[in-house]
Amino acid sequence: MRLGAARARRVALGAQGFAETPHATPTLRTVERTLRRTGVLQVDSVNVLARAHYMPLWSRMGPYDTDLVRRASEVRPRRMVEYWAHVQAFMPVDLWPVMRHRMAQQRARHEERSRERGDGWDPRVEADLLAEVADRGPLTARDVDDGHPRRTDHWGWNWSRSRQVMDLLYRTGELAIAGRTRQFEVLYDLPERVLPPAVLAAPTPDPAAAARELVRRAAASHGVATVPDLADYYRMSTAATARAVEELVEAGELVAAAVEGWDQPAWLHAGARAPREVRARRLLSPFDPVVWRRERAERLFAFRYRIEIYVPAARRVHGYYVLPFLLDDRLAARVDLKADRPTGRLLVHGAWAEPGAATHLPAELAAELLELAAWLGLETVVVGDAGDLAGALSAAVGARSGRRLE
C-alpha cells in the first residue's frame, strides 16, 4: 500500500485521537478513551508549565479537571498505573501482566550486576522494606530512609539506599506506585493493594506474546510507523519488534506500506483510519507521543524539534520549554512557555512560525494560549519579543483578551 505524506499525517493524528469529537465535559471515561489512544502518558518532574502527564490529555480532551488523573490512578478501581512503559509513564492497568517479562528482566539484570560489582547487596534489606510497606501502607522512600549515606556520584540523583531498594522493587514488580505526594514523591505500596484483582490474576504471556501485544498497541497508537518507531514506543529492542511485526503481518493485523518521503518501510495498523480532514488547534507537550520521537516528527511534519532543557541558556535556539503548535494536520509553530504562577501570567518567551504557515495562525495560537492560561488558572498571557511570530501573536492575544498586554 502507498500512502501520500498528507494521508500519513492524518492517519497518525487520527490514531492519537485528534480527529474525534471532544466530550463537552471530560469524565473518567474520557480519560480512559484518551489513554487507550496514546497507550502511555509519560511522567516527568519538570513543572515549568504543567506536569508532563497532564498535557497530552489536555491536548486531546481540552480543559479538564486534573483531579480526574488522580482518581484514575489512585482511587479504586484504578484505570491506570505507573511503570517503565515508554520511560516512567502511566499505562492502562491491563498492561501490567504484559510487563511482567520486563520485571523479570530487571531482576535478572540487577542480580547479574550485583555479582559483577561484588557490592554486597543484601536481599534481607528488600524483605525488610517489603514488610514495612505491608505493615504501614503506602510509603515514600523518605518515610523509610534508613540513614545510609546518599549517593553523590551523579548530578541528577541523590538517592538513599532505601530509595534505591524501593525503586528496584518497583522495577521488578514487587512494589507498585500507589500515587504521589504534593511534592511529587512516589508512594510505594504492595501490588495487591494497587491493582485490580483481575489484573493480578491474569496469566503472564510468554516474551514473544508480550512483544506482539506491545507492538500491536504501538501500531494502533501510531497508525502508520517504521520498525524503529514501533520499537521506541514501549522501548523494545529492534530485533524483538521486527519479529513481532512479521507475526502481526502474517495475522493480518499490520499491512506493509510505502509512505511518500520516508526512506524506510512502514507498517499500517489494519484498524487505522485516515480522516478526510483533521481540524485541530492544540499545543503539544515535548513529551507528547506525536513528537517524542524526533525523527518521526520530522518525517511526518517536516518539523525539526529538539528539547533544550539541558542545553546551556546561551546555546538554546528556541528556549527552555518549547511546545509545538498543531494547527489542523500541520505543526505550524512553536512557543517557549512558562507558567508564572505567583504573578498569574502565562509567559510566552518566544514564538516562531514554520514555513508556509497559514495567515490565521496568530489568531488560532492566541486563542489556544488564552484557553491554556485559563485551564492553568492564570489570568494573563504575556508575549515576549523573541521569534518571528512574536509581534503578530502579541497583537492577536491583545485583540482576543480585550486588554492591553505588557
Side-chain angles (χ1 to χ4, degrees):
M1 177 180 293
R2 301 189 65 82
L3 290 179
R7 185 177 176 85
R9 283 196 302 275
R10 295 197 305 273
V11 168
L13 291 170
Q16 284 286 322
F18 285 100
E20 294 178 352
T21 302
H23 292 171
T25 302
T27 64
L28 277 173
R29 285 185 60 199
T30 320
V31 172
E32 286 188 272
R33 182 182 77 168
T34 305
L35 183 58
R36 288 292 168 187
R37 288 292 199 180
T38 64
V40 291
L41 297 171
Q42 183 170 337
V43 175
D44 192 271
S45 61
V46 175
N47 197 27
V48 66
L49 182 68
R51 297 289 187 196
H53 53 285
Y54 289 140
M55 281 299 297
L57 294 172
W58 179 80
S59 298
R60 291 153 180 80
M61 293 163 34
Y64 72 99
D65 182 355
T66 57
D67 191 57
L68 291 173
V69 175
R70 183 193 64 81
R71 290 166 57 192
S73 60
E74 298 183 22
V75 178
R76 295 181 181 179
R78 286 174 170 85
R79 275 82 165 176
M80 60 189 193
V81 66
E82 285 190 55
Y83 192 63
W84 201 261
H86 173 68
V87 289
Q88 184 80 13
F90 283 112
M91 65 182 189
V93 291
D94 64 2
L95 258 186
W96 186 269
V98 180
M99 291 295 174
R100 287 186 186 130
H101 72 290
R102 191 166 292 185
M103 298 168 186
Q105 290 169 357
Q106 289 286 337
R107 171 56 69 182
R109 188 175 297 122
H110 164 74
E111 292 179 353
E112 180 181 357
R113 289 176 177 174
S114 185
R115 286 193 299 270
E116 291 174 352
R117 291 192 304 261
D119 57 7
W121 185 278
D122 189 346
R124 289 175 297 183
V125 176
E126 298 179 30
D128 289 345
L129 277 172
L130 284 170
E132 189 164 358
V133 172
D135 181 55
R136 295 172 58 189
L139 297 174
T140 68
R142 190 187 303 274
D143 294 330
V144 295
D145 198 330
D146 53 15
H148 286 272
R150 293 174 176 267
R151 286 177 52 186
T152 58
D153 58 343
H154 190 283
W155 69 268
W157 304 105
N158 188 22
W159 284 4
S160 68
R161 175 56 63 92
S162 299
R163 173 63 192 269
Q164 294 175 57
V165 175
M166 293 180 90
D167 186 68
L168 170 67
L169 293 171
Y170 151 71
R171 288 185 283 113
T172 60
E174 293 159 273
L175 287 177
I177 293 179
R180 288 179 179 264
T181 67
R182 290 187 178 183
Q183 293 74 39
F184 210 57
E185 291 180 287
V186 169
L187 284 162
Y188 298 95
D189 203 354
L190 302 179
E192 54 265 35
R193 296 201 295 234
V194 173
L195 294 154
V199 170
L200 291 169
T204 301
D206 63 52
R212 283 195 301 274
E213 180 60 21
L214 292 176
V215 172
R216 179 183 290 118
R217 294 191 185 215
S221 292
H222 267 325
V224 60
T226 65
V227 166
D229 293 338
L230 295 170
D232 177 73
Y233 213 87
Y234 289 102
R235 295 297 168 91
M236 301 170 59
S237 73
T238 302
T241 302
R243 287 194 297 270
V245 165
E246 290 179 3
E247 293 163 1
L248 292 171
V249 168
E250 186 175 346
E253 297 185 53
L254 295 181
V255 178
V259 179
E260 178 187 0
W262 292 20
D263 60 3
Q264 297 182 55
W267 306 96
L268 179 72
H269 188 267
R273 297 290 179 266
R276 290 186 178 181
E277 60 180 9
V278 175
R279 292 296 180 192
R281 189 198 74 197
R282 281 303 176 205
L283 287 160
L284 304 179
S285 158
F287 307 106
D288 193 288
V290 172
V291 295
W292 68 26
R293 180 164 163 77
R294 311 309 187 200
E295 301 94 327
R296 177 178 168 81
E298 195 161 351
R299 269 185 278 116
L300 275 171
F301 301 101
F303 186 85
R304 182 172 175 77
Y305 180 48
R306 298 294 183 272
I307 190 167
E308 298 182 272
I309 289 174
Y310 305 112
V311 176
R315 292 170 51 195
R316 291 178 192 141
V317 176
H318 294 108
Y320 180 81
Y321 201 73
V322 175
L323 282 73
F325 178 54
L326 177 67
L327 184 59
D328 297 333
D329 68 346
R330 298 276 186 169
L331 294 179
R334 65 189 82 202
V335 285
D336 181 18
L337 299 182
K338 175 181 174 61
D340 189 4
R341 295 174 181 87
T343 64
R345 301 180 302 168
L346 177 60
L347 304 179
V348 185
H349 293 308
W352 294 262
E354 289 299 293
T359 56
H360 61 292
L361 169 62
E364 295 288 353
L365 180 52
E368 180 76 350
L369 289 166
L370 289 165
E371 185 176 306
L372 175 62
W375 178 62
L376 293 174
L378 304 173
E379 298 175 356
T380 311
V381 176
V382 180
V383 182
D385 297 330
D388 59 2
L389 186 57
L393 180 60
S394 181
V397 168
R400 282 186 172 268
S401 63
R403 58 179 176 270
R404 191 177 183 83
L405 298 178
E406 298 175 26

